[in-house]
Amino acid sequence: MKEVKSQSFVRWFDRQFDSNTGSEYFDEFLKLLEDFPAVLKEELKNCPIEVSTRKMGDKWSVNENIGHLILLEDLWRIRFKDIMEGKPDMSPADLNNTATDQYSFNKMLVAELIKNLVSERDKTIVMLQKLSEEDLLKTSMHPRLQQPMNIIDLMHFVAEHDLHHLHAIQSIIGNMENI
């Protein structure tokens, strides 16, 4: 089993990632991606709306963190396709997260957001399950990290992004309990 080093206390944009991960890790990362919405659902099963919608300063609320994850699923699928199609560079992300900030995720219930995340993540999982061994060997340049990534590398990146937001959500919930 590949050791996934949690970097939860490092700002997301300051993180580094290994590249050229072997295809033997495909099933492990697929399971992490597939299971994440259920992990999030369990974490938030008793989270009251006043906690899930509360912002701490300029930081996103629990709902906004989940909404951000939903919005990024489309980007992940685009980037996986970029790699499969042999594009030299992956499609860029909006590093300002404009869509997350403009969307009204705090007007939604956690259960509804998680349902949407499950739906979007399922599309990603189905796409990944259809990949060939040849697809797993292709690479494209990650636009921000400026390093080539294969499918498994990007799966690792997405899994770590999930964990980053899970830790942010856990921190919000922990801070609310102390108020």
Side-chain angles (χ1 to χ4, degrees):
M1 181 173 208
K2 182 175 176 78
E3 181 182 345
V4 177
K5 297 175 187 167
S6 179
Q7 300 179 46
S8 61
F9 297 105
V10 177
R11 278 183 1 104
W12 179 253
F13 290 131
D14 294 338
R15 292 185 184 207
Q16 300 296 312
F17 291 88
D18 295 331
S19 60
N20 203 24
T21 306
S23 61
E24 66 271 20
Y25 298 108
F26 178 83
D27 291 336
E28 180 182 337
F29 285 123
L30 186 69
K31 180 139 183 58
L32 285 172
L33 296 176
E34 193 171 19
D35 291 350
F36 180 73
V39 169
L40 196 56
K41 182 177 182 179
E42 179 65 23
E43 183 74 29
L44 297 172
K45 68 181 177 188
N46 296 317
C47 184
I49 194 164
E50 56 273 6
V51 171
S52 74
T53 58
R54 186 157 183 201
K55 292 175 73 87
M56 300 289 289
D58 63 347
K59 302 289 184 192
W60 288 334
S61 67
V62 168
N63 283 21
E64 290 167 326
N65 273 275
I66 301 168
H68 172 72
L69 294 170
I70 294 165
L71 292 174
L72 283 181
E73 280 302 305
D74 189 49
L75 175 66
W76 303 145
R77 289 190 297 271
I78 289 168
R79 286 183 172 179
F80 286 124
K81 286 178 189 172
D82 290 344
I83 295 171
M84 290 183 304
E85 293 170 0
K87 292 186 178 177
D89 299 306
M90 289 182 216
S91 298
D94 170 12
L95 299 181
N96 294 319
N97 295 302
T98 307
T100 302
D101 290 332
Q102 291 178 345
Y103 211 95
S104 299
F105 291 116
N106 284 329
K107 293 181 180 176
M108 301 172 77
L109 297 174
V110 166
E112 181 182 4
L113 289 164
I114 291 176
K115 181 180 175 185
N116 290 341
L117 179 60
V118 167
S119 175
E120 288 301 311
R121 181 57 60 92
D122 283 350
K123 293 176 195 174
T124 305
I125 298 302
V126 166
M127 186 184 101
L128 290 169
Q129 289 172 329
K130 294 178 181 176
L131 298 178
S132 69
E133 186 70 30
E134 183 180 305
D135 290 328
L136 300 181
L137 301 175
K138 297 175 183 175
T139 63
S140 291
M141 187 69 68
H142 187 282
R144 179 176 58 82
L145 297 174
Q146 286 300 298
Q147 70 185 54
M149 288 185 148
N150 63 29
I151 295 286
I152 313 302
D153 297 330
L154 186 55
M155 291 170 74
H156 178 196
F157 182 90
V158 174
E160 280 291 322
H161 186 261
D162 286 348
L163 286 176
H164 171 78
H165 285 281
L166 177 62
H167 291 135
I169 288 167
Q170 290 168 331
S171 177
I172 293 165
I173 292 169
N175 284 334
M176 291 296 142
E177 291 171 353
N178 296 326
I179 292 178

